[in-house]
């Protein structure tokens, strides 16, 4: 098993925890997601645990590349689990995802399930992946709000989503109204609190 975590203390703690289990052997521990990909390509560990904040799409991109390697299975351990990322992970080739706060027994169980070729998602995460969660936004409005959340300007959103700037402004106004927000900042706060972005 390979363990990835960008935070040294967290990585060492997770590695030490996993090594306490008699059926788990950690063969590597890395801090960079691209180092995890390189290690997995060269060594083909049975399971790669990728620990991350739950919002970083680049980490999910690389985890998907690891997951398609022959004989390698991938389990994500996330601090926050925002609905768009959970949906992407659930629909993609990644084998499992658990919250970082799960008890050790549940983590061990998830590792064993993934190792056996099963999928291992916390029930709450699986529900979040398939449910709308009462989000009042259309998929297009959600993508505009997600780009705002990432810090894109109206001009950048228009270019990225192939829309006119006026259309993007109209979407932003509609999002504010649909979320019952005072302004776009408040709309972002409401969406974050409900894990819609």
């Amino acid at each position: 098993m390979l363990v990835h975590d960008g935070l040294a203390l967290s990585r060492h703690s997770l590695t030490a925890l996993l090594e306490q289990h008699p059926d788990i052997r950690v063969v590597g521990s890395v801090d960079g997601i691209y180092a995890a990909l390189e290690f997995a390509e060269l060594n083909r560990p049975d399971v790669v645990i990728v620990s991350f904040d739950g919002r970083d799409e680049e980490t999910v991109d690389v985890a998907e590349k690891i997951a398609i390697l022959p004989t390698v299975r991938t389990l994500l351990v996330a601090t926050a689990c925002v609905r768009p990322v959970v949906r992407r992970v659930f629909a993609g080739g990644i084998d499992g995802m658990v919250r970082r706060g799960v008890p050790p027994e549940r983590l061990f169980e998830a590792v064993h399930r993934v190792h056996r070729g099963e999928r291992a998602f916390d029930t709450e995460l699986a529900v979040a992946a398939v449910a709308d969660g009462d989000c009042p936004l259309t998929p297009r409005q959600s993508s505009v709000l997600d780009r705002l959340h990432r810090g894109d300007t109206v001009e950048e959103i228009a270019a990225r989503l192939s829309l006119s700037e006026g259309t993007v402004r109209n979407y932003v106004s509609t999002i504010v109204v649909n979320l019952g927000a005072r302004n776009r900042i408040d709309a972002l706060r409401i969406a974050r609190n409900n894990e819609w972005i």
Side-chain angles (χ1 to χ4, degrees):
M1 167 174 303
L2 170 67
V3 174
H4 159 270
D5 193 312
L7 302 173
L9 184 58
S10 178
R11 183 174 65 259
H12 292 298
S13 299
L14 182 56
T15 302
L17 173 68
L18 290 165
E19 287 177 333
Q20 288 178 5
H21 195 284
D23 298 331
I24 295 175
R25 187 168 67 96
V26 177
V27 296
S29 173
V30 296
D31 64 350
I33 190 63
Y34 289 101
L37 176 59
E38 183 179 350
F39 186 100
E41 287 173 334
L42 294 173
N43 300 286
R44 301 295 164 95
D46 294 332
V47 178
V48 175
I49 291 186
V50 175
S51 184
F52 76 127
D53 68 1
R55 299 176 185 272
D56 180 14
E57 298 243 3
E58 184 179 13
T59 297
V60 177
D61 290 341
V62 178
E64 287 174 339
K65 290 176 183 171
I66 293 170
I68 62 172
L69 294 171
T71 73
V72 179
R73 305 209 168 272
T74 309
L75 175 66
L76 299 184
V77 179
T79 305
C81 298
V82 294
R83 196 166 274 117
V85 172
V86 174
R87 283 184 174 157
R88 178 177 168 192
V89 169
F90 192 78
I94 293 171
D95 301 288
M97 184 174 187
V98 296
R99 290 184 185 272
R100 194 186 295 252
V102 298
E105 301 77 33
R106 293 224 348 243
L107 176 62
F108 296 148
E109 178 188 343
V111 168
H112 286 303
R113 287 182 61 198
V114 165
H115 184 260
R116 290 192 304 261
E118 300 171 17
R119 298 196 84 199
F121 283 83
D122 283 349
T123 305
E124 182 182 325
L125 297 182
V127 169
V130 297
D132 287 336
D134 300 324
C135 180
L137 304 179
T138 66
R140 180 58 101 178
Q141 290 167 346
S142 293
S143 12
V144 169
L145 191 62
D146 181 57
R147 295 316 313 178
L148 274 176
H149 178 255
R150 293 167 187 261
D152 289 0
T153 64
V154 168
E155 295 78 16
E156 290 167 336
I157 295 170
R160 192 175 299 270
L161 300 179
S162 301
L163 300 169
S164 72
E165 292 176 23
T167 301
V168 171
R169 285 188 188 90
N170 288 340
Y171 273 124
V172 171
S173 297
T174 304
I175 289 165
V176 169
V177 170
N178 287 355
L179 295 183
R182 294 183 302 276
N183 52 42
R184 71 172 65 180
I185 303 300
D186 192 37
L188 286 166
R189 180 193 58 77
I190 291 167
R192 273 194 304 271
N193 289 347
N194 286 285
E195 295 185 345
W196 294 329
I197 56 170

